C-alpha cells in the first residue's frame, strides 16, 4: 500500500491572507494524506486555525513581507534542507496578484519537490508543473480555490467553499449579541481614524449596543482611547483563537480591510467593512457573509496599494461618520442576504454588499 501523499501549501504574508486560503487548504487536504502549511510570521497563528492543516512551518520571506528581512544564503539553505527532509509529493504556492511564486518555486525545486503548482503571470520555465492563469478580479478566496482545482484538488462533498476555522473555539466571557469594533489595521492607509472610531463607540452605545473594542498587543493605547467610558477595552487581551471566539459571538463586526475582517467572515459574522480602495474591494472585501461596504471606492487613492494614504486628509474613510456605522449595523441586523457562491460573479457585489458612501 502506497504512503499517503504529503502536500506543502505556501502562503507567506498576513493573517487575513492566510485565512482566505481556507477553501484551498480543505480541497488539498481532501486529496492528500498530510498538509504542511508554510506561513510567514504574521500568518502562522491563522494557519493553525485552518481545518485541514496538519503542521505549520513559519518562515520570513524576503520577497513577500512588507518589512522584509535581508536575503540570507544560510537561511535559504536551511529552508531547502527542511523541505528536502520533508520530501513532499508536491507543493501548491499561493500568492496575491502582485506577488510572484517563482522565487519560492526555485527553492522548492532545488529541494527536490517533484510537482509545483502556482498562479504565475511571468514565464516560469521549468519551475512550475502547473502554471495557472486566473481573472485577478476574483475574490481572493475563489482565486486560491481555482489554483487548488487546477492542481487537481477538489473540495469534499458538501463543502460550499466558505471560510472556516477549527472548532471548538475558546470560551468567551461576554454574553453573545454585542458589536465588536476593531480600530487597528496592518496598513495605515486602510485605517478609519481613531477619533471616528471613538465617536462610533459612543453612537453605538447610544443606540443600545454593547461594544467590545479589540486590538493587538501593540494597539493598547489605541483601543483604550477608542473604548473610552462606553466600550469594553480588550486591546492586547486575546490570542487569535480567542479573537475568533469573540467575533463568533458578535452580532456584527466593524473593521477595516485587515485580518479580523476575514476572521469574522470565517466564523460567519456580518461585517461593516470600512474599506479604503487602495486595493480592490472585489478581491478583498469580507467573503461569504452579509456585509456593508463603507468608504469612497472611487477616491484618488483607488488601486494604488499605498501603505500610507497619498491623499491629504484620508478622505475615503475620514468622511465616513459614526451615524453611517450605526445605520450599517442596523441594516446587517435586519437584512438577510443570499449565499455568495450561488449567485453569478457579475451580481456578487450588489448581492453581498450594501453600498454606503460617505
Amino acid at each position: 500500500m502506497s504512503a499517503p501523499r504529503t502536500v506543502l501549501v505556501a502562503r507567506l504574508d498576513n493573517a487575513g491572507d492566510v485565512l482566505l486560503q481556507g477553501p484551498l487548504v480543505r480541497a488539498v487536504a481532501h486529496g492528500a494524506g498530510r498538509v504542511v502549511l508554510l506561513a510567514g510570521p504574521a500568518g502562522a497563528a491563522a494557519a493553525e486555525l485552518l481545518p485541514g492543516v496538519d503542521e505549520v512551518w513559519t518562515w520570513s520571506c524576503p520577497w513577500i513581507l512588507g518589512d522584509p528581512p535581508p536575503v540570507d544564503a544560510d537561511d535559504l539553505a536551511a529552508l531547502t534542507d527542511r523541505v528536502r527532509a520533508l520530501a513532499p509529493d508536491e507543493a501548491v504556492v499561493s500568492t496575491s496578484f502582485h506577488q510572484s511564486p517563482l522565487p519560492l518555486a526555485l527553492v522548492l525545486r532545488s529541494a527536490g519537490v517533484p510537482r509545483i503548482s502556482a498562479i504565475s503571470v511571468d514565464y516560469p520555465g521549468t519551475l512550475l508543473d502547473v502554471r495557472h492563469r486566473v481573472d485577478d478580479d476574483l475574490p481572493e478566496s475563489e482565486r486560491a480555490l481555482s489554483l487548488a482545482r487546477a492542481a487537481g484538488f477538489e473540495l469534499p462533498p458538501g463543502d460550499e467553499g466558505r471560510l472556516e476555522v477549527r472548532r471548538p473555539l475558546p470560551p468567551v466571557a461576554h454574553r453573545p449579541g454585542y458589536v465588536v469594533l476593531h480600530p487597528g489595521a496592518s496598513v495605515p492607509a486602510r485605517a478609519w481614524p481613531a477619533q471616528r472610531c471613538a465617536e462610533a463607540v459612543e453612537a453605538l452605545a447610544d443606540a443600545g449596543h454593547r461594544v467590545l473594542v479589540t486590538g493587538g498587543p501593540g494597539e493598547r493605547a489605541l483601543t483604550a482611547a477608542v473604548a473610552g467610558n462606553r466600550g469594553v477595552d480588550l486591546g492586547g487581551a486575546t490570542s487569535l483563537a480567542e479573537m475568533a471566539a469573540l467575533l463568533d459571538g458578535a452580532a456584527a463586526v466593524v473593521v477595516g480591510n485587515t485580518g479580523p475582517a476575514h476572521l469574522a467572515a470565517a466564523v460567519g459574522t456580518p461585517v461593516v467593512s470600512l474599506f479604503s480602495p487602495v486595493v480592490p474591494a472585489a478581491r478583498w472585501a469580507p467573503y461569504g457573509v452579509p456585509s456593508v461596504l463603507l468608504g469612497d471606492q472611487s477616491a484618488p487613492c483607488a488601486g494604488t496599494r499605498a501603505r500610507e494614504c497619498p491623499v491629504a486628509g484620508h478622505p475615503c474613510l475620514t468622511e465616513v461618520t459614526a451615524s453611517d456605522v450605526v445605520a450599517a449595523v442596523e441594516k446587517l441586523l435586519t437584512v438577510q442576504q443570499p449565499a455568495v457562491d450561488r449567485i453569478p460573479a457579475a451580481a456578487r457585489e450588489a448581492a453581498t454588499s450594501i453600498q454606503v458612501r460617505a
Side-chain angles (χ1 to χ4, degrees), residues 103-224:
L104 182 59
L106 177 61
V107 173
L108 298 177
R109 192 67 93 196
S110 66
V113 179
R115 187 172 189 264
I116 304 172
S117 303
I119 297 170
S120 182
V121 174
D122 299 322
Y123 171 64
T126 58
L127 297 181
L128 298 180
D129 300 282
V130 177
R131 178 194 184 189
H132 184 43
R133 307 287 190 94
V134 68
D135 178 359
D136 277 332
D137 280 334
L138 281 176
E140 182 67 14
S141 189
E142 293 182 16
R143 184 178 186 272
L145 181 57
S146 76
L147 171 60
R149 287 172 168 155
F153 299 101
E154 290 289 342
L155 288 166
D159 190 326
E160 296 183 342
R162 299 185 184 281
L163 305 188
E164 294 181 9
V165 294
R166 294 182 188 273
R167 292 178 183 269
L169 293 168
V172 172
H174 302 273
R175 177 169 50 87
Y178 44 80
V179 173
V180 169
L181 191 149
H182 187 90
S186 57
V187 174
R190 302 180 192 177
W192 199 32
Q195 180 59 37
R196 285 282 190 263
C197 294
E199 291 166 359
V201 170
E202 293 280 344
L204 287 164
D206 287 343
H209 298 287
R210 289 176 292 134
V211 186
L212 310 185
V213 180
T214 57
E219 296 173 325
R220 288 190 176 98
L222 171 64
T223 59

Side-chain angles (χ1 to χ4, degrees), residues 229-281:
N229 296 321
R230 306 290 299 279
V232 178
D233 178 15
L234 297 176
T238 60
S239 66
L240 196 65
E242 291 166 337
M243 172 75 82
L246 276 175
L247 300 179
D248 190 40
V253 178
V254 180
V255 62
N257 178 25
T258 193
H262 305 300
L263 190 57
V267 296
T269 300
V271 178
V272 175
S273 177
L274 294 152
F275 201 98
S276 166
V278 292
V279 295

